[in-house]
Amino acid sequence: MTRFLSRAARPLAAAFLALALEVTNLSPVAAADAGPSPIALRSATAQPAVPGVNADIQLLHHTMLGVSGRPVPATTLLLTPKGAPPAGGWPIVGWEHGTTTPGQRTCAPSQTPELDGGLTRDGFKSDYSWQISQFIDAGYAVVAPDLEGLGPDATTPYPYYSLSSLARSLVAGVVAARAAEPSLSERWAVVGHSDGGHGVLGVEALAKEATGLAFAGTVASAPYVAIEAHAARFEADAKTASDEAAAHQGLMMQQFQGALMATGLKVTQPSFDEASIMGPDLAETLPRFRSLCSVAAIGTIDAAVKAKGRAFEGLNADWGSQPQMHAFLAANDPAVMPDYTLHQPLLIVQGNADPFVLEALQTRFADRLKASGARLTYKVYDGADHFSIIRRANADVLDFLRQQFAR
């Protein structure tokens, strides 16, 4: 996908919130009211060393509260620095990966040497293991969940884009890690990239489920938000493109947004009919799309769009207004969730050359957060794209974490 993605880089209201909670039951605030998660550590197994990561690594087998409202099996990687912990224990960085798959459980960090669910293996260097090494070298333990529905123990589907599921995967992983390793501190912060960046934006509302621990703050790197707005922007790019390659790219990226959201919604709402938001060409790709890791999954849509060009029958113009989809986005996309804000310190980092999460839409979200009173630091990095943002923002991320853990 490196080669494919480098081509990509080329050139409502309170009433509706009530509907969202009724239809999806996925609001993190509403979910938090349900009580503490039934988290139980079942076992921990030693994992092989990861090149460049100077840590002891364990795979934790535990339970978490799933989107069904029942406990489900989950797995989480725990990486701790070698040597003696500092007084008070190793501070914890809960780290969440981006989109590694729409629904294939083997595309999980614990199942790949680079800790990225196959992105590097399939040709798209993620820098995830490098980022984790930076946290280890700074003296932090890293808790990296595979996420609900992903990993070797998963028995239920992956509820893609569910904010409560993403957040609870981290909360459960941190609680399980503390049960497995007494050298961990009670202080924790979260860092996520792309859809993981979206996921960490839901953690603060559920952090109290990590009983007895002190939540310190959030780092979101190119968080995947404003989904409907992204689809509309890509559609506009396709319509105004001056050449077929650019038109194809915009159309493909528009379809990709809808395919991901349809996949996530279908898991939480089996009654959802994809045909209510899309034409037959896109609908026909979904079974295979959901069975693959990200690189091949997006390639499936790319090939389908190429085969039909501008005649491709994909997302309906009003796809986001279909009641179930509209409610799903309102309950899970912080950029459109009514009254969404955070109270603990938050850092968002974004590249202005990112072809997947667009800087203009991220800046609009950041402005909305600031207006809500969020304690946000927002930084844009010139020339950084969707993955190079990890290295470009590293010093600022480490400085932010250092400040929060020092409070």
Side-chain angles (χ1 to χ4, degrees), residues 23-356:
V23 173
T24 67
N25 195 30
L26 292 177
S27 163
V29 176
D33 293 339
S37 299
I39 304 164
L41 176 66
R42 298 186 297 165
S43 65
T45 56
Q47 294 292 99
V50 174
V53 181
N54 188 29
D56 295 317
I57 309 177
Q58 301 176 71
L59 182 62
L60 310 180
H61 304 263
H62 60 94
T63 55
M64 63 171 285
L65 186 64
V67 292
S68 66
R70 298 184 295 273
V72 297
T75 44
T76 293
L77 286 167
L78 169 60
L79 302 94
T80 52
K82 295 182 181 292
W90 304 111
I92 302 166
V93 172
W95 175 88
E96 194 152 276
H97 63 86
T99 301
T100 60
T101 179
Q104 172 51 253
R105 72 185 187 98
T106 62
C107 309
S110 73
Q111 302 302 289
T112 51
E114 299 85 5
L115 309 181
D116 67 0
L119 293 173
T120 298
R121 175 199 66 209
D122 294 341
F124 192 10
K125 183 173 170 49
S126 69
D127 267 338
Y128 283 175
S129 62
W130 181 86
Q131 183 177 48
I132 289 172
S133 77
Q134 298 299 294
F135 299 145
I136 295 295
D137 293 348
Y140 307 137
V142 176
V143 172
D146 283 333
L147 302 180
E148 179 184 354
L150 301 183
D153 295 356
T155 59
T156 55
Y158 174 34
Y160 186 82
Y161 209 70
S162 167
L163 191 59
S164 65
S165 174
L166 290 166
R168 278 204 165 93
S169 292
L170 266 174
V171 172
V174 169
V175 172
R178 285 266 298 174
E181 181 49 68
S183 68
L184 302 187
S185 168
E186 67 178 18
R187 295 184 58 75
W188 65 297
V190 290
V191 178
H193 172 255
S194 193
D195 191 43
H198 155 248
V200 298
L201 295 173
V203 172
E204 183 183 299
L206 296 178
K208 66 183 181 183
E209 294 186 7
T211 306
L213 303 187
F215 183 69
T218 301
V219 178
S221 177
Y224 183 37
V225 298
I227 305 305
E228 195 173 0
H230 272 88
R233 184 66 58 88
F234 291 130
E235 179 185 23
D237 289 347
K239 289 180 177 178
T240 61
S242 58
D243 60 76
E244 284 303 312
H248 162 77
Q249 190 60 42
L251 179 58
M252 186 281 297
M253 286 298 295
Q254 177 200 14
Q255 306 311 309
F256 186 46
Q257 315 307 305
L260 287 171
M261 295 305 111
T263 294
L265 175 53
K266 187 70 173 178
V267 171
T268 57
Q269 293 285 308
S271 66
F272 171 66
D273 180 10
E274 294 98 332
S276 65
I277 68 164
M278 66 181 67
D281 293 335
L282 182 58
E284 287 173 8
T285 71
L286 292 183
R288 180 161 173 75
F289 174 77
R290 292 167 176 155
S291 71
L292 301 168
C293 294
S294 290
V295 174
I298 196 171
T300 297
I301 294 181
D302 180 52
V305 171
K306 274 183 179 172
K308 297 247 178 141
R310 294 178 187 261
F312 184 85
E313 295 186 62
L315 284 179
N316 299 341
D318 61 348
W319 72 277
S321 298
Q322 192 270 2
Q324 286 171 293
M325 179 59 72
H326 207 135
F328 178 78
L329 293 174
N332 294 290
D333 185 345
V336 297
M337 290 171 66
D339 303 320
Y340 176 83
T341 192
L342 292 176
H343 304 285
Q344 294 291 340
L346 165 66
L347 171 66
I348 293 179
V349 297
Q350 175 69 43
N352 66 5
D354 189 328
F356 302 105

Side-chain angles (χ1 to χ4, degrees), residues 360-391:
L361 298 178
Q362 196 73 265
T363 298
R364 184 188 302 173
F365 173 55
D367 289 344
R368 181 182 175 213
L369 277 173
K370 289 178 181 177
S372 75
R375 298 161 62 184
L376 168 65
T377 300
Y378 177 57
K379 296 194 173 186
V380 177
Y381 299 78
D382 189 42
D385 62 27
H386 196 58
F387 277 91
S388 64
I389 187 64
I390 290 175
R391 290 190 186 242

